[in-house]
Amino acid sequence: MNAGAPGSGGDGGARPDAGRARREYALHAAGYDRSAARTMPLRRRTIERLRLGPGDAVLDVACGTGLSFPMLRQAVGASGRVHGVELSPEMAALARARVAGHGWRNATLDVGDMASSPLPGPFDAVLFHFTHDVLRTPGALDHIFGACRPGARVAVAGSKLLPWWLAPLNVWVRRNNAPYMTTFDGLEAPWRPLERFVPRLARESALWGAAYVGWGRYER
Ligand SMILES: C[S@@+](CC[C@H](N)C(=O)[O-])C[C@H]1O[C@@H](n2cnc3c(N)ncnc32)[C@H](O)[C@@H]1O
């Protein structure tokens, strides 16, 4: 994700601020797809880790403008289903337009908070693509995995801080990510909260260490 969009950004506060995220994404929505264009290969790589097949039900956590929907929809086919939840009404409106434009009947979307939005499970797979605030939102992961089948496949990608020997470059990482998350808390190992649900989360580095991809299965 590029810097350049307005926003006060993460401030190191421990908890995400949903109100601020809503306000900031109201400003980002129109330019969001352009800002995310250069991370499309990472999105594809992350979705491939879900090993989706025809008939699967997949949850797209904090789906934004629905940029992942075409790849998810293609993988699950007409017999599967894709469900997204998105906090920002402006981002969600673009996702709805995408669904309507393609005439997909098996892609659904709710505007709401991942910690409380009703989830039409059970899901076979869950995608967390650049969802740092959700990973840090109390109760969100319990809610999400409460709607997943045991053994559900999970894939996650997002930004992370560089290791200590590259620490000076983290000024750039923080500035780049500030418009897109309301807390930097846990950004040195952002996948950690997921390990409670996916204890054998595999992981690899991406974007020269400024991002990560993780995958595994939900074990309850
Ligand atoms: C960086 S964007 C990523 C969007 C999408 N996953 C993608 O890959 O393009 C982060 C999204 O998380 C949403 N978000 C933040 N907190 C949320 C919450 N508690 N529940 C649902 N969505 C949330 C924001 O509104 C924003 O659309």
Side-chain angles (χ1 to χ4, degrees):
M1 312 293 157
N2 287 333
S8 50
D11 58 8
R15 295 231 167 152
D17 179 340
R20 181 147 68 87
R22 263 192 217 97
R23 289 192 296 280
E24 296 202 356
Y25 277 97
L27 303 175
H28 302 331
Y32 183 82
D33 287 5
R34 201 170 355 100
S35 77
R38 77 189 170 90
T39 50
M40 287 309 271
L42 179 58
R43 186 183 298 272
R44 180 168 296 283
R45 177 173 152 192
T46 308
I47 290 173
E48 281 170 1
R49 292 293 188 183
L50 283 176
R51 292 188 290 105
L52 293 169
D56 278 342
V58 58
L59 174 64
D60 188 356
V61 169
C63 64
T65 63
L67 267 179
S68 296
F69 282 7
M71 292 180 213
L72 296 174
R73 173 63 180 61
Q74 186 180 27
V76 302
S79 61
R81 60 190 180 90
V82 177
H83 182 71
V85 176
E86 169 52 44
L87 183 70
S88 157
E90 290 81 3
M91 296 285 277
L94 294 172
R96 279 196 208 290
R98 195 186 301 277
V99 170
H102 286 278
W104 292 324
R105 293 179 168 202
N106 57 345
T108 52
L109 174 68
D110 283 330
V111 180
D113 193 309
M114 278 314 323
S116 54
S117 186
L119 296 175
F123 294 103
D124 304 297
V126 196
L127 175 67
F128 295 83
H129 192 264
F130 285 80
T131 59
H132 185 66
D133 275 10
V134 174
L135 293 173
R136 309 294 309 177
T137 296
L141 295 184
D142 290 289
H143 186 58
I144 290 165
F145 285 102
C148 291
R149 294 186 201 282
R153 299 178 302 278
V154 178
V156 58
S159 298
K160 71 170 180 63
L161 292 178
L162 295 161
W164 63 267
W165 59 91
L166 293 172
L169 294 176
N170 280 329
V171 173
W172 171 84
V173 174
R174 285 171 192 267
R175 190 180 308 137
N176 226 24
N177 283 287
Y180 302 104
M181 54 183 72
T182 65
T183 178
F184 291 143
D185 199 44
L187 204 58
E188 57 291 332
W191 56 85
R192 276 275 147 73
L194 265 181
E195 289 178 336
R196 188 154 68 88
F197 303 88
V198 188
R200 286 177 284 176
L201 188 77
R203 208 165 21 85
E204 62 192 18
S205 186
L207 303 182
W208 303 279
Y212 69 98
V213 180
W215 65 96
R217 283 184 183 270
Y218 166 45
E219 295 177 35
R220 81 166 175 206

